[in-house]
Amino acid sequence: MQEILVLYYSHRGSVRALSEVIARGIDSVPGISARVRTVPKVSTVCEATESDIPEKGAPYVEMRDLEECIGLALGSPTRFGNMAAPMKYFLDGTAGPWLAGALSGKPACVFTSSASQHGGQESTLLSMQVPLLHHGMLIIGIPFSEPDLTRTRSGGSPYGATHWAGKDDSTQLTDEEKRLATALGRRLAETALKLAAPL
């Protein structure tokens, strides 16, 4: 079975929750499954402070995860309108797959969460797309044919799945956010299968 990498960094759990719903959307498509991975925190000190195996949640990503999968869903919390440092740090280290063209022609989507509705969700999604475009990936969004995109009063964007978490992450994923994240995962999986099919 072919797989799509769902790669995220989550500080308080909201992005992880989105990743789980996107993974369910991917898994709903016959012939493909989600491979869920995360990245470790970064530190201001020079020595590694995270253990090699996370205490909970998904395993840490390895370069082979990027190379083996036929698509990528990339998620990070919003940090001043940009992705969080741990995800940026990981992407900065992907020169090997970039030189090899390992991601070129594969589809990708992005997702994020922020504490406020105007916390820079869309700029975060757009900034996350830039390194993926440098890798030659094909960006998948959420089309307005998804009715929840115009009905949502919380998260949701044509650029990717989003969640409004609240200041203390007290807000759970809404039904609209879940349906949009599921639709994005499903759309990514369907596109990946079409692109991976032999001619």
Side-chain angles (χ1 to χ4, degrees):
M1 177 158 317
Q2 301 194 78
E3 293 179 305
I4 287 180
L5 177 60
V6 180
L7 177 60
Y8 71 90
Y9 171 71
S10 188
H11 182 63
R12 293 187 176 147
S14 293
V15 176
R16 183 178 68 241
L18 268 177
S19 77
E20 292 166 357
V21 178
I22 289 171
R24 283 198 296 272
I26 292 166
D27 290 338
S28 73
V29 176
I32 198 161
S33 65
R35 181 189 298 189
V36 182
R37 298 291 186 266
T38 190
V39 297
K41 292 179 181 178
V42 294
S43 172
T44 56
V45 298
C46 294
E47 294 181 24
T49 58
E50 292 288 302
S51 63
D52 290 339
I53 300 172
E55 291 180 22
K56 60 181 179 178
Y60 290 136
V61 68
E62 298 176 9
M63 288 300 157
R64 68 179 180 84
D65 293 314
L66 288 174
E67 296 159 0
E68 292 172 356
C69 290
I70 64 169
L72 171 66
L74 187 70
S76 170
T78 294
R79 295 291 183 265
F80 301 106
N82 207 331
M83 73 183 93
M87 185 58 71
K88 178 72 166 66
Y89 182 80
F90 171 76
L91 290 173
D92 284 349
T94 60
W98 172 71
L99 286 169
L103 298 175
S104 184
K106 295 179 181 181
C109 70
V110 290
F111 56 101
T112 192
S113 176
S114 65
S116 69
Q117 282 187 310
H118 306 289
Q121 290 182 352
E122 290 192 337
S123 63
T124 298
L125 295 174
L126 291 169
S127 70
M128 290 171 67
Q129 292 175 9
V130 173
L132 305 182
L133 289 167
H134 277 262
H135 274 284
M137 300 195 84
L138 309 171
I139 305 299
I140 303 296
I142 302 174
F144 277 95
S145 56
E146 290 295 333
D148 286 309
L149 203 53
T150 54
R151 287 198 289 249
T152 183
R153 295 289 180 254
S154 52
S157 165
Y159 307 120
T162 66
H163 169 61
W164 173 37
K167 283 191 237 180
D168 55 358
D169 277 334
S170 59
T171 308
Q172 300 298 311
L173 294 179
T174 66
D175 290 341
E176 290 89 356
E177 290 171 339
K178 288 178 186 176
R179 286 192 294 264
L180 289 168
T182 300
L184 182 60
R186 189 172 49 248
R187 191 163 191 253
L188 177 63
E190 291 168 349
T191 303
L193 284 174
K194 288 175 186 175
L195 291 170
L199 298 175

